[in-house]
């Protein structure tokens, strides 16, 4: 495809589908902090114990494991909604209505009334996490299916911008509303938080109206994937049974895990390493149990085995079949490692700012607010440059900048509490992150097959944070044993192999840009 000139590249942002993704991004970004930071502050103001507050973080597991039920979302019709609005819009609308219902459920629950009410709120938070992750799955599929590759970078930029704005509304916006309505540390007011969450539910109408106004993507569904209603119901029940086995694997091994963590901490003389090993074993047990349950259910009449193969196995076989084993593995490595420099540094960044003497107000105004606008600006630049010069070139530049900007943190470690330096570092780092993210999302979109959009993209988006999160768990240990300067140098160096992977992808992949 011929590259667009500068005017065409900029005007592409005014395309209706690009603007649609801005609103969808807002709808997708809003629920995230309503599970994490905002809800945590509500619980602490209500006097809930810190251990119970951190328990709520499990509610967001849906974001990390959304690829598990993405195949059902890809193929399962939603009764009336799919018939009325179409396959993608029906699921988006259902997910948005579930998010709204979960927000009202949370708002109608006062955690100060006792432990039972805390558990009820936890269930509502789980519903919120599950619904929000489902919305992400379908919006990603809609974005890829609704436009060609020439608009994907622009749509990704708009989506990232909307997502960040939604997070700002749910984070700073929710706290501001709760404060204005009269709740704070030492003077808890349940009604203030209740109406705050009701208002957040109202903000979700932005996404609902967008869903109602847009057209359904013009894609053909393979007739080979049409099954009886009982088959869909059986697969849905099988998913929940496998999920129950997975959760049970974690729940019933909790006490044993605590014992082995203490025992292995003495053996390795490293509590972090012991905890990581034990948790990995727990994860392996839980995943193995869930897979075994799903496999055994395949021998019963509850599940149509052909449907199970078409839903879960076919998308994976298609990916390896299109690219071949070697190239597919290298692409998966690129997906898993591309964001490693940014994500690993981000794990410890707030502690770094505090250790340099920056106040919470300075962190909030410079890192969070100013940094947000820099990320949005970087995303739009990434979209424009990707359209103008091609995704692979900007993907490479984004990976290079992500590593180089980490070196600026080494300079800031020497500079100490320097507000001007913080502005410079945040500007460079967030612009680079926004640019890289826009190109990367467009790149991932190009790798999907239109027949398996939701499944394959959900796998990609889950994989891209897996390795960085595992490595990020050691960030504190590295800083304690070495220094901040050494840590930032390491985060820059681990981004170097990504550059070679991008060059390999650019050489061997035929991507329509």
């Amino acid at each position: 495809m011929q590259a667009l000139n500068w005017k065409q590249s900029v005007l592409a942002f005014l395309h209706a589908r690009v603007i649609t993704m801005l609103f969808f991004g807002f709808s997708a970004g809003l629920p995230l902090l309503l599970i994490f930071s905002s809800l945590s502050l509500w619980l602490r103001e209500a006097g809930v114990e810190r251990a119970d507050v951190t328990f709520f973080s499990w509610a967001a597991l849906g974001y990390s494991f959304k690829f598990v039920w993405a195949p059902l979302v890809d193929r399962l019709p939603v009764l009336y909604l799919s018939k009325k609005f179409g396959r993608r819009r029906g699921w988006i609308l259902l997910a948005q209505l579930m998010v709204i219902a979960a927000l009202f459920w949370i708002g109608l629950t006062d955690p100060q009334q006792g432990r039972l009410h805390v558990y009820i709120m936890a269930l509502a938070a789980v519903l919120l996490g599950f619904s929000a992750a489902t919305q992400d799955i379908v919006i990603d599929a809609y974005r890829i299916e609704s436009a060609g590759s020439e608009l994907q970078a622009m749509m990704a930029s708009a989506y990232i911008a909307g997502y960040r704005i939604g997070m700002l509304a749910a984070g700073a916006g929710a706290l501001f509303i709760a404060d204005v309505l009269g709740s704070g540390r030492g003077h808890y007011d349940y009604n203030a938080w209740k109406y705050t969450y009701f208002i957040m539910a109202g903000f979700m109408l932005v996404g609902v109206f967008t869903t109602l106004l847009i057209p359904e993507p013009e894609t053909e569904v393979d007739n080979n994937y049409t099954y009886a209603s009982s088959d869909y119901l059986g697969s849905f029940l099988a998913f929940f049974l496998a999920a129950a086995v997975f959760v049970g694997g974690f729940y019933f091994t909790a006490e044993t895990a605590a014992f082995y963590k203490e025992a292995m901490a003495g053996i390795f003389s490293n509590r972090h390493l012991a905890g990581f090993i034990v948790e990995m074993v727990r994860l392996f047990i839980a995943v193995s149990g869930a897979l075994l349950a799903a496999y055994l259910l395949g021998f019963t009449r509850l599940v149509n085995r052909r449907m199970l193969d078409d839903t879960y196995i076919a998308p994976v076989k298609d990916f390896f079949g299109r690219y071949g084993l070697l190239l597919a593995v290298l692409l998966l490595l690129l997906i898993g490692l591309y964001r490693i420099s940014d994500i690993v540094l981000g794990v410890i960044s707030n502690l770094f700012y505090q250790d340099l003497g920056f106040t919470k107000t300075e962190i909030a105004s410079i890192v969070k607010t100013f940094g947000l606008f820099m990320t949005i600006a970087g995303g739009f630049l990434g979209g424009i440059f990707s359209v103008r010069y091609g995704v692979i070139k900007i993907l490479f530049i984004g990976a290079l900048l992500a590593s180089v900007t980490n070196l600026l943190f080494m300079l800031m470690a020497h500079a100490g509490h320097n507000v001007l330096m913080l502005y410079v570092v945040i500007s460079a780092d967030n612009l680079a992150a926004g640019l890289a993210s826009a190109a990367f999302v467009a790149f991932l979109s190009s790798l999907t097959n239109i027949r398996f959009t939701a499944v394959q993209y959900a796998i990609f988006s889950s994989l891209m944070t897996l390795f960085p999160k595992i490595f990020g768990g050691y960030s504190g240990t590295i800083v304690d044993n070495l220094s901040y300067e050494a840590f930032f140098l390491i985060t820059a160096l681990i981004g170097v192999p990504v550059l070679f992977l991008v060059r390999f992808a650019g050489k061997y992949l035929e991507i329509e840009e």
Side-chain angles (χ1 to χ4, degrees):
M1 192 187 96
Q2 186 178 3
L4 302 182
N5 60 37
W6 284 108
K7 182 179 179 181
Q8 292 171 323
S9 300
V10 174
L11 289 179
F13 276 115
L14 300 179
H15 196 287
R17 288 171 182 168
V18 175
I19 296 173
T20 294
M21 295 316 299
L22 180 68
F23 295 125
F24 268 159
F26 177 85
S27 178
L30 188 74
L32 183 60
L33 292 186
L34 295 176
I35 305 172
F36 284 115
S37 59
S38 298
L39 186 58
S40 298
L41 286 175
W42 178 358
L43 292 166
R44 288 300 290 157
E45 287 184 8
V48 178
E49 293 295 326
R50 185 177 285 104
D52 291 333
V53 172
T54 55
F55 167 75
F56 276 73
S57 65
W58 286 89
L61 275 177
Y63 285 97
S64 298
F65 292 95
K66 60 186 178 182
F67 64 88
V68 175
W69 71 90
L72 296 179
V73 175
D74 211 10
R75 297 299 174 190
L76 190 67
V78 190
L79 299 178
Y80 171 78
L81 293 180
S82 291
K83 188 175 182 180
K84 176 72 175 177
F85 300 103
R87 184 167 59 123
R88 297 306 185 199
R89 292 169 65 217
W91 266 106
I92 294 175
L93 185 59
L94 175 64
Q96 290 168 339
L97 294 177
M98 288 171 63
V99 168
I100 292 173
L103 290 173
F104 272 103
W105 184 0
I106 291 174
L108 292 171
T109 310
D110 184 2
Q112 198 179 51
Q113 296 300 312
R115 203 164 193 71
L116 177 61
H117 291 264
V118 174
Y119 288 148
I120 292 173
M121 181 176 277
L123 289 174
V126 170
L127 175 62
L128 178 58
F130 178 81
S131 306
T134 302
Q135 182 186 213
D136 281 5
I137 292 170
V138 200
I139 288 178
D140 285 332
Y142 179 90
R143 172 177 52 77
I144 296 169
E145 294 174 358
S146 62
S149 58
E150 70 278 359
L151 280 179
Q152 287 301 322
M154 296 296 190
M155 294 171 75
S157 301
Y159 180 77
I160 292 168
Y163 202 96
R164 295 286 183 174
I165 295 170
M167 290 177 65
L168 183 64
L175 300 185
F176 175 77
I177 293 171
D179 188 53
V180 169
L181 293 178
S183 185
R185 179 171 291 184
H187 50 90
Y188 170 68
D189 185 342
Y190 160 63
N191 286 321
W193 281 106
K194 177 177 74 173
Y195 290 118
T196 295
Y197 269 68
F198 286 177
I199 292 171
M200 292 297 115
F203 284 166
M204 280 298 298
L205 293 177
V206 171
V208 171
F209 286 130
T210 302
T211 305
L212 295 176
L213 293 174
I214 60 173
E216 177 75 3
E218 297 179 1
T219 56
E220 296 182 3
V221 181
D222 194 335
N223 290 329
N224 292 331
Y225 291 92
T226 302
Y227 295 94
S229 299
S230 58
D231 293 328
Y232 287 117
L233 179 61
S235 293
F236 200 63
L237 291 175
F239 163 73
F240 274 103
L241 287 174
V245 172
F246 176 81
V247 174
F250 270 97
Y251 179 79
F252 291 110
T253 57
E255 292 185 6
T256 305
F259 170 78
Y260 280 106
K261 282 181 183 179
E262 292 297 326
M264 293 180 68
I267 296 174
F268 292 105
S269 299
N270 187 324
R271 184 174 297 274
H272 296 286
L273 178 60
F276 172 75
I277 293 174
V278 172
E279 291 303 324
M280 285 296 100
V281 172
R282 290 182 70 196
L283 178 62
F284 176 77
I285 292 172
V287 170
S288 300
L291 291 176
L292 179 61
Y295 179 76
L296 294 176
L297 285 169
F299 292 99
T300 68
R301 294 185 177 181
L302 180 66
V303 178
N304 183 325
R305 292 197 66 180
R306 179 170 176 266
M307 181 180 179
L308 197 64
D309 290 340
D310 290 341
T311 304
Y312 285 93
I313 307 301
V316 178
K317 289 177 65 176
D318 167 80
F319 178 75
F320 281 91
R322 281 187 294 123
Y323 296 111
L325 179 61
L326 178 60
L327 181 57
V329 169
L330 289 170
L331 285 174
L332 292 177
L333 281 175
L334 173 58
I335 293 169
L337 296 176
Y338 187 78
R339 297 295 311 280
I340 193 166
S341 291
D342 278 339
I343 295 176
V344 171
L345 185 144
V347 171
I348 205 168
S349 59
N350 283 338
L351 294 177
F352 172 63
Y353 303 137
Q354 287 181 327
D355 288 343
L356 289 185
F358 290 101
T359 65
K360 290 184 176 64
T361 302
E362 288 172 330
I363 295 173
S365 61
I366 301 174
V367 179
K368 303 301 181 185
T369 307
F370 176 74
L372 167 69
F373 291 108
M374 288 298 100
T375 303
I376 292 174
F380 281 117
L381 287 175
I384 293 172
F385 290 155
S386 295
V387 171
R388 182 70 181 87
Y389 297 111
V391 171
I392 289 294
K393 289 181 180 178
I394 306 307
L395 198 69
F396 182 87
I397 292 173
L400 179 63
L401 290 175
S403 293
V404 172
T405 52
N406 282 13
L407 298 176
L408 294 177
F409 285 86
M410 295 177 65
L411 298 178
M412 194 166 72
H414 287 289
H417 184 269
N418 186 318
V419 174
L420 178 60
M421 186 66 181
L422 182 60
Y423 270 109
V424 172
V425 172
I426 292 301
S427 297
D429 187 59
N430 286 32
L431 279 171
L435 183 146
S437 296
F440 191 48
V441 170
F443 173 71
L444 294 183
S445 303
S446 70
L447 297 179
T448 61
N449 184 332
I450 204 72
R451 291 170 57 202
F452 309 107
T453 313
V455 186
Q456 291 180 346
Y457 194 87
I459 293 173
F460 296 156
S461 59
S462 297
L463 179 62
M464 72 180 182
T465 60
L466 178 61
F467 294 129
K469 284 182 178 179
I470 292 174
F471 189 81
Y474 293 100
S475 57
T477 304
I478 295 173
V479 171
D480 289 340
N481 288 282
L482 298 175
S483 64
Y484 274 118
E485 291 91 337
F487 171 74
F488 295 137
L489 178 60
I490 291 171
T491 61
L493 292 176
I494 60 178
V496 173
V498 175
L499 299 176
F500 293 98
L501 289 172
V502 174
R503 290 297 298 270
F504 184 89
K507 183 177 181 180
Y508 293 100
L509 276 178
E510 296 179 1
I511 300 176
E512 253 187 60
E513 297 177 343

